[in-house]
Amino acid sequence: MSGGLDLGLLLGAGVLLVAVGAVRLSTRVGVPSLLVYLLIGMVIGEAGLGIRFDDAELTRTLGFCALIMIIAEGGLTARWSTLRPVLGLSATLSTLGVAVSVAVVGGAVHWVLGIDWRLALLYGAVLSSTDAAAVFATLRRLRLPPRLVATLEAESGMNDAPVVLLVVLLSVPVPAGHPWWYELLLVGYELSAGTAVGLAVGWAGRWLLRHAALPSAGLYPIAAVGLTVLAYAVGAVAHASGFLAVYAAGVVLGNGRLPHRRAILGFADGLAWVAQIGLFVLLGLLVSPAELSAAVGPALVVGLVLVLLARPLSVWVSAVAARRSRALGWRGQAFLSWAGLRGAVPIVLATIPLSSAAPGADGLFNAVFVLVIVFTLVQATTLAPVARRLGITAPAEAAEVHVEAAPLERMHADLLQIDVAPGSLLAGVHIDELRLPVGASVTLVVRAGAGFVPGPDTRLRTGDSLLIVATSDVRDVAERRLRAVSRRGRLARWFGEDGADHA
């Protein structure tokens, strides 16, 4: 017994450390880390070290637990000021966009591959959800307009809920006497009830954490993450969408002035990484490599339909329905179409029909696995070039730097970094000409590898990196001011916190 435990711990620790090291390697070469984790699982599986694992039910259960952690971290780190303007479009993409994608992929699979309608729609449902882990990990390395990033992150956090419901409905026989509109009403109830549960748990939890006065700072991160898990459990018990409850609770908690907020976000980030590593390795372990060759053809056909037809059409329909087509423009819609990354979520969803022994579930799982590997590799590695080609990169955007700093915690302040990119009109501007709001200040300038504390007359140069401390009350105003100066120079108008023109 002890020997088996020791060997299991040795193998588990080795896999975990190799996976952590693979993050650095994957970042350098531009390969998504999730593909490395899947490969690790396949290497230690039946075709590699010989570990045989074929428990689809356990994989689904552990996969749902991992998704709770990943979605919770996404909600906790989402900023309401950035999320609010895109909430309508993200919600539309997560509902109407999902329906369009399911219909297009299902129709194509039925007519091209000759698969019956129920299984064809199951293909569409499994593949209609973008992956939160893949989207969060990839987009946060790019400098893009905040609204585009917020739209994709909110969509990936919200679309798991309706997709899980669709996959479950399509994986089991329809109960006798239940018309189609009954199932539609059931989905509507689960989504709305899940949102309500998440908001209620989030608000109650935020109040409790502010007034609890826990005896140890380390208890606050545990309590915050525990509240998001509680939101899922309450939602599930109420027959509502637990995943939507998790995301809603995370957003409410993450945007409250919680004690030890930095520690909470760091703890949630660490848990999300562990969840990603464990989930991807487990999915790689579940697959049988010998069966994948037969799935390559169907996977490529379905993937091309999904990427070139279903996703662009769902984005366009959603943008029109949410009245955001003009605001996004064709460039924004094109990037949203290409950035709809699939990752572990479709593979986890494919275990639902697999564990239910649905007809054709084995072929579905293998095709989804191949599709995720091929198209994630293609899409994730080309996001930066596509963004540059479309002209939507934003090198002057401020990026949050996650650090542990007690003084910043007491000030309710964030540490931002902004780079003076080539062509930015920040170059040549003096520090005092930035006219940042009270509560925001440039604390350090890094130039040619050396850092110094700037004075009011310090002139910025191309290639400089600025570290800016901004309180949460004025952060958005400071970012708008920096964007304005980067585009229009020192003469850019300054709009204060009240929205008035202070030029």
Side-chain angles (χ1 to χ4, degrees):
M1 179 69 178
S2 176
L5 175 62
D6 293 342
L7 184 60
L9 290 175
L10 177 63
L11 180 61
V15 170
L16 181 63
L17 293 175
V18 169
V20 170
V23 176
R24 184 173 180 84
L25 175 63
S26 65
T27 302
R28 283 187 172 183
V29 301
V31 176
S33 57
L34 69 91
L35 298 182
V36 179
Y37 302 153
L38 289 173
L39 180 61
I40 291 173
M42 296 173 69
V43 167
I44 66 176
E46 60 184 58
L49 298 182
I51 298 177
R52 185 174 182 82
F53 178 79
D54 55 5
D55 193 334
E57 180 69 29
L58 178 60
T59 302
R60 183 183 71 171
T61 302
L62 295 178
F64 276 30
C65 293
L67 290 179
I68 292 171
M69 293 295 99
I70 295 169
I71 294 172
E73 191 269 341
L76 286 168
T77 55
R79 291 171 53 209
W80 177 244
S81 60
T82 305
L83 181 63
R84 180 174 52 192
V86 302
L87 193 59
L89 176 58
S90 299
T92 307
L93 282 168
S94 303
T95 50
L96 179 61
V98 164
V100 171
S101 182
V102 170
V104 172
V105 172
V109 169
H110 174 72
W111 294 109
V112 177
L113 300 181
I115 295 176
D116 70 88
W117 272 109
R118 190 176 186 83
L119 182 58
L121 291 174
L122 192 54
Y123 269 85
V126 166
L127 292 169
S128 60
S129 177
T130 55
D131 184 79
V135 170
F136 296 161
T138 303
L139 291 182
R140 290 175 185 178
R141 296 199 301 265
L142 304 178
R143 292 292 179 88
L144 297 168
R147 289 194 176 187
L148 271 182
V149 176
T151 300
L152 285 162
E153 291 193 352
E155 178 201 4
S156 63
M158 292 189 291
N159 63 11
D160 291 339
V163 170
V164 168
L165 299 178
L166 284 176
V167 172
V168 171
L169 289 174
L170 291 169
S171 298
V172 296
V174 179
H178 281 188
W180 64 269
W181 55 263
Y182 174 84
E183 304 295 341
L184 189 62
L185 288 177
L186 180 63
V187 170
Y189 160 75
E190 295 202 15
L191 295 180
S192 57
T195 303
V197 167
L199 293 176
V201 172
W203 281 106
R206 191 161 79 175
W207 186 89
L208 287 172
L209 288 177
R210 284 179 178 176
H211 297 85
L214 297 176
S216 172
L219 294 175
Y220 285 91
I222 298 174
V225 173
L227 285 166
T228 62
V229 178
L230 176 66
Y232 177 88
V234 172
V237 170
H239 300 287
S241 172
F243 289 116
L244 199 53
V246 168
Y247 188 75
V251 171
V252 173
L253 288 169
N255 286 272
R257 291 186 175 181
L258 301 181
H260 307 287
R261 181 174 179 271
R262 291 292 174 188
I264 291 173
L265 297 184
F267 182 71
D269 185 52
L271 282 181
W273 274 109
V274 173
Q276 291 179 50
I277 293 171
L279 175 58
F280 295 139
V281 172
L282 187 64
L283 291 173
L285 193 61
L286 179 65
V287 74
S288 298
E291 300 176 2
L292 296 181
S293 58
V296 172
L300 293 178
V301 171
V302 176
L304 289 173
V305 171
L306 177 68
V307 172
L308 301 180
L309 183 60
R311 175 66 180 178
L313 186 59
S314 66
V315 169
W316 178 78
V317 170
S318 299
V320 171
R323 299 181 180 180
R324 299 293 299 172
S325 56
R326 286 190 177 182
L328 284 175
W330 71 268
R331 289 183 175 85
Q333 293 182 48
F335 185 79
L336 285 177
S337 300
W338 189 247
L341 301 179
R342 270 69 187 173
V345 171
I347 306 177
V348 172
L349 294 177
T351 64
I352 296 177
L354 194 63
S355 61
S356 303
D362 289 329
L364 169 64
F365 180 83
N366 292 330
V368 169
F369 193 93
V370 173
L371 185 152
V372 166
I373 290 178
V374 173
F375 286 90
T376 299
L377 183 61
V378 172
Q379 289 177 270
T381 55
T382 56
L383 276 182
V386 167
R388 287 194 295 269
R389 191 65 180 264
L390 291 172
I392 60 171
T393 55
E397 289 296 340
E400 185 171 358
V401 181
H402 295 282
V403 295
E404 286 293 337
L408 295 182
E409 181 75 34
R410 291 194 297 268
M411 294 168 55
H412 300 294
D414 295 324
L415 184 62
L416 310 177
Q417 175 187 332
I418 188 167
D419 299 324
V420 183
S424 171
L425 293 185
L426 281 169
V429 174
H430 292 95
I431 292 294
D432 61 351
E433 292 174 328
L434 291 175
R435 289 187 289 170
L436 295 176
V438 176
S441 60
V442 180
T443 59
L444 187 72
V445 174
V446 179
R447 178 177 295 166
F452 61 92
V453 178
D457 59 345
T458 299
R459 185 187 295 271
L460 300 179
R461 300 179 185 174
T462 299
D464 285 353
S465 290
L466 284 64
L467 290 184
I468 301 168
V469 173
T471 63
S472 57
D473 291 336
V474 302
R475 172 175 171 164
D476 292 331
V477 179
E479 288 191 14
R480 288 198 297 269
R481 175 61 187 163
L482 290 168
R483 279 195 288 270
V485 177
S486 71
R487 294 167 183 164
R488 303 181 184 89
R490 60 172 61 88
L491 298 180
R493 292 183 175 182
W494 178 52
F495 292 87
E497 201 170 359
D498 57 359
D501 187 349
H502 296 278

